[in-house]
Amino acid sequence: HHAADAAYVVLIPLSALVYAEAGRNPITGVAIAYAGISGAFAGNVIPGQFDILMLGITEAAAKLVDPNYVMNPLGNWWFTATIGLGFTPVAWYVTDRIIEPRLGPWDGHRPVEADGATFGQLNDDQRRGLRRAGIAAAIIVAAFAALTLWPGYTPLFDETTTGPQRMTPFYQALVAAFMMLFLVCGWAYGSAAGTISNHRAVVKLMNDGLRDLAPYIVLVFFAAHFVAMFSWSNLGPVMAVKGAEVLRGLELPNTAVLTSILLMTSGLDLVIGSASAKWSAMAPVVVPMLMLVKISPELTTAAFRMGDSIFNIVTPLASNFPLALIMCQRWRPQFGVGSMISLMLPYSISFMIGGLCLLMLWSGLELPVGPGAPAVYQPPAAAVSSP
């Protein structure tokens, strides 16, 4: 998750290779890696830049009700860590008892690369490149650790604050850190393996990567305009107040309200792949609405993130679905979209059941969602009751 979309490119093929080297079906490796990255997307034992992104959107929406509201960047930590730890045995059970038996034994077929080499087998230059990449990775990690922990010089550690917010500069720097990590490691590997001869080759490879991201950039362009116009229209506060009045009239328990948010989000997940685009559109409505019925913004965000983690792996509209499908087709050329959906559907069903149970437990017991992030919102005495 901390590597963002690069995790799909790196972990999925490596997982397939691990299964192939163990003599087991490599498509099982694709399935379990894709389920772990995108299916249980809300699960994250260590918070990162995505938490800051989502809770930053939540904070802007919460200010519609409470202008002085400040969001803790670790506000979902307890919830997301529970998903990360609790869903691991769920994914193991689904893989071991459902997915792998359905795929059957592997026939030993390995893909052949364009240069005639067998996929997954390394030559001496590639092994030397991996060693160089490992050294480069250690240097980058050590540099950022020094910028965070070095006595007397900690630009990535805010010593002027207290509590978890002291690590906010480090979390905000993670995107740059991973960019440098993959750039330097890729260059170190390519220079030894013969795929990168000079800086022009690096620029060309970057250009090829951006070409693949063009559809996503177009989607974000129009999504940003929609969010801006929605904000200018003030429809968010109006819908929040009216929705809160309806919820008060129905007198539904908080558990039922949050469950409806989870189910609505999972339904939107089938047609809108970007989590930030969905939350940017939903947050100005659902966050103030639930604050007015005493549900904290942090718990609302947790319900959304759980709902957004269910159908990512079965909708062809997800940006990384084609990538996972291509990985499967490398090992089984006749593997199609329908096969991919049926392969991943057991994970989606199990994650939905587990997510609903977890959210009901959290809401029913009013457990804190993260450090200093209660499940119940208590408006300050001077807060305005409605926008």
Side-chain angles (χ1 to χ4, degrees), residues 100-293:
E100 193 164 16
R102 180 189 297 177
L103 289 172
W106 180 41
D107 59 7
H109 167 75
R110 285 181 177 269
V112 177
E113 297 289 353
D115 59 1
T118 302
F119 184 70
Q121 294 183 351
L122 304 179
N123 56 36
D124 292 339
D125 290 338
Q126 291 171 330
R127 291 189 179 92
R128 184 168 60 254
L130 287 177
R131 288 193 293 269
R132 289 188 183 181
I135 295 172
I139 293 173
I140 295 296
V141 171
F144 274 84
L147 292 173
T148 307
L149 304 174
W150 193 269
Y153 184 72
T154 56
L156 298 184
F157 186 84
D158 189 357
E159 297 180 349
T160 62
T161 60
T162 59
Q165 291 188 352
R166 290 180 295 178
M167 293 297 294
T168 298
F170 172 75
Y171 294 135
Q172 292 175 336
L174 280 176
V175 174
F178 280 109
M179 186 276 291
M180 292 183 61
L181 180 67
F182 286 108
L183 174 62
V184 175
C185 291
W187 200 331
Y189 171 83
S191 63
T195 56
I196 296 178
S197 56
N198 51 44
H199 68 280
R200 294 183 180 84
V202 176
V203 174
K204 182 179 182 302
L205 290 172
M206 288 181 173
N207 182 55
D208 293 339
L210 286 176
R211 186 183 299 115
D212 296 334
L213 288 175
Y216 176 74
I217 295 174
V218 173
L219 174 64
V220 170
F221 175 80
F222 287 102
H225 280 72
F226 168 78
V227 172
M229 289 187 288
F230 189 87
S231 176
W232 295 335
S233 69
N234 286 326
L235 285 175
V238 173
M239 295 175 66
V241 173
K242 296 299 182 183
E245 292 175 354
V246 172
L247 290 176
R248 288 195 188 102
L250 294 175
E251 297 183 352
L252 294 174
N254 288 354
T255 301
V257 175
L258 290 167
T259 299
S260 65
I261 296 297
L262 185 151
L263 294 176
M264 179 178 68
T265 304
S266 63
L268 290 174
D269 205 24
L270 292 169
V271 293
I272 304 176
S274 172
S276 57
K278 279 198 296 289
W279 191 227
S280 296
M282 292 177 60
V285 177
V286 299
V287 171
M289 182 174 67
L290 269 61
M291 287 176 71
L292 295 176
V293 292

Side-chain angles (χ1 to χ4, degrees), residues 18-49:
V18 168
Y19 270 79
E21 291 300 325
R24 300 167 68 175
N25 199 312
I27 296 180
T28 306
V30 175
I32 188 63
Y34 189 37
I37 300 172
S38 190
F41 189 64
N44 205 358
V45 177
I46 302 175
Q49 52 90 15

